[in-house]
Amino acid sequence: MHADIDPAEISKNRRADVPIVGDAKEVIVDLTEAVRAERASGHANLTPWWARLDGLRETYPLGYDWPADGSLSPEYVIERLGKIAGPDAVYAAGVGQHQMWAAQFISYEQPRSWLNSGGLGTMGFAVPAAMGAKMARPDAVVWAIDGDGCFQMTNQELATCAIEGIPIKVAIINNGNLGMVRQWQNLFYSERYSNTDLGTHKHRIPDFKLLSEAMGCVGLRAESREEVDRVIQQAMEIDDRPVVIDFVVGADAQVWPMVAAGTGNDQIMAARNIRPLFDGDELVTDTGTVAAVTAEALNDSAGGTSA
């Protein structure tokens, strides 16, 4: 379904099954009334759909591996944060691997408790979004889950939080890199890492704990599994100032599932070299094949641009 006031935009990027030309406000009102009327006439039988979803969950369960080098798992950090802060907290995320892990490993049970910029790629979104959520719901616990790259886009707003009394809590998933870009370079560019190492591990520049303290916040750090619960609990007990936790995690953790550039959703990869089998599907695409398709798509794109 695609609604747009400009008819030229309809089906521009993807064919719309239900094209609607009109003002978004009016369209949403009409759609809301139509959905209410449809529900009043009876609910659709979703049993087969839920059975399919349950089958996928059973075949491809959510999980993660601990880093081979013994470093802290980012998925574990986010999982524990969700368990300790609970479903009544509000969570905001930036853009990248931490955004995907926050969507996967926190069990959301309440509406309006998960704030992120979706596919817009708005790095730096987490801290300002958390600020707005805290101002709107001052009695709620509000966590900004951010990466070390995203956090450096808007961390100056910590000063605003400290001065204006906005006690948000920030969890920095510090893997020392632009993690999502590094993952693509690992999978599709033969581990040719270019401009993704941020120095937040090797040189600890900036030192997020000291930076937070300089801006009037409480700065904490966790580098081992044993420290995770303790620092989260410590942050939960502080309500009079913003709190920032620097979680120093492994650099090589990857987000799964994923869809590579130049491929369709039916070529989704559940894990490295593993693709789900769909109805009538006997082909499993590995990362090498996907890398070739990606390269071809990039070449076609470059050719189209030059033309």
Side-chain angles (χ1 to χ4, degrees):
M1 183 178 293
H2 183 183
D4 202 297
I5 198 167
D6 183 358
E9 294 297 320
I10 299 294
S11 296
K12 189 173 183 179
N13 296 315
R14 181 169 180 169
R15 184 184 65 80
D17 296 307
V18 183
I20 303 174
V21 177
D23 182 274
K25 182 178 180 180
E26 296 176 359
V27 169
I28 290 172
V29 170
D30 290 343
L31 283 175
T32 301
E33 293 176 356
V35 169
R36 285 174 177 165
E38 183 177 349
R39 287 187 172 181
S41 63
H43 294 285
N45 180 16
L46 300 179
T47 302
W49 173 243
W50 279 111
R52 181 176 182 183
L53 294 180
D54 290 339
L56 288 172
R57 290 193 185 106
E58 183 177 349
T59 305
Y60 304 99
L62 185 64
Y64 56 89
D65 295 322
W66 276 81
D69 60 3
S71 56
L72 187 57
S73 162
E75 299 99 325
Y76 176 77
V77 169
I78 294 173
E79 186 176 52
R80 293 306 300 156
L81 176 60
K83 293 291 186 183
I84 294 171
D88 292 327
V90 176
Y91 303 89
V95 170
Q97 289 180 312
H98 68 277
Q99 177 190 22
M100 304 298 109
W101 290 323
Q104 291 175 314
F105 291 100
I106 294 177
S107 298
Y108 300 99
E109 300 177 17
Q110 306 293 341
R112 295 177 291 278
S113 60
W114 169 227
L115 307 175
N116 78 104
S117 59
L120 295 178
T122 316
M123 292 181 70
F125 179 84
V127 170
M131 292 169 64
K134 188 64 177 177
M135 293 297 289
R137 295 181 56 191
D139 295 331
V141 173
V142 179
W143 279 93
I145 301 173
D146 227 347
D148 45 325
C150 281
F151 183 65
Q152 295 186 72
M153 302 284 182
T154 51
N155 60 29
Q156 66 272 20
E157 293 301 338
L158 291 177
T160 305
C161 292
I163 293 169
E164 301 297 336
I166 310 173
I168 65 171
K169 308 180 194 303
V170 182
I172 305 173
I173 308 302
N174 179 5
N175 64 2
N177 289 269
L178 295 174
M180 186 62 79
V181 182
R182 178 185 170 88
Q183 176 170 337
W184 281 63
Q185 291 173 345
N186 176 277
L187 292 175
F188 309 124
Y189 296 93
S190 303
E191 301 182 20
R192 295 193 295 274
Y193 300 120
S194 175
N195 300 299
T196 49
D197 187 340
L198 297 176
T200 52
H201 271 195
K202 187 187 304 180
H203 306 293
R204 196 158 277 178
I205 298 176
D207 186 315
F208 292 126
K209 182 177 181 296
L210 296 181
L211 176 66
S212 303
E213 292 171 351
M215 291 191 179
C217 307
V218 176
L220 304 172
R221 178 175 290 124
E223 299 184 71
S224 68
R225 180 173 186 165
E226 292 72 28
E227 296 174 307
V228 171
D229 283 16
R230 176 180 59 78
V231 294
I232 295 174
Q233 291 284 9
Q234 188 176 347
M236 292 290 290
E237 294 169 2
I238 299 172
D239 294 320
D240 60 340
R241 284 176 292 170
V243 184
V244 178
I245 307 176
D246 178 14
F247 289 104
V248 182
V249 302
D252 294 320
Q254 296 188 342
V255 173
W256 302 101
M258 69 170 290
V259 178
T263 65
N265 287 339
D266 61 345
Q267 290 178 294
I268 187 172
M269 298 166 64
R272 187 189 291 268
N273 296 329
I274 298 176
R275 185 166 70 83
L277 290 175
F278 298 98
D279 294 341
D281 186 359
E282 298 180 355
L283 177 64
V284 178
T285 302
D286 59 21
T287 53
T289 303
V290 175
V293 173
T294 301
E296 182 180 350
L298 292 174
N299 289 335
D300 290 345
S301 176
T305 302
S306 61

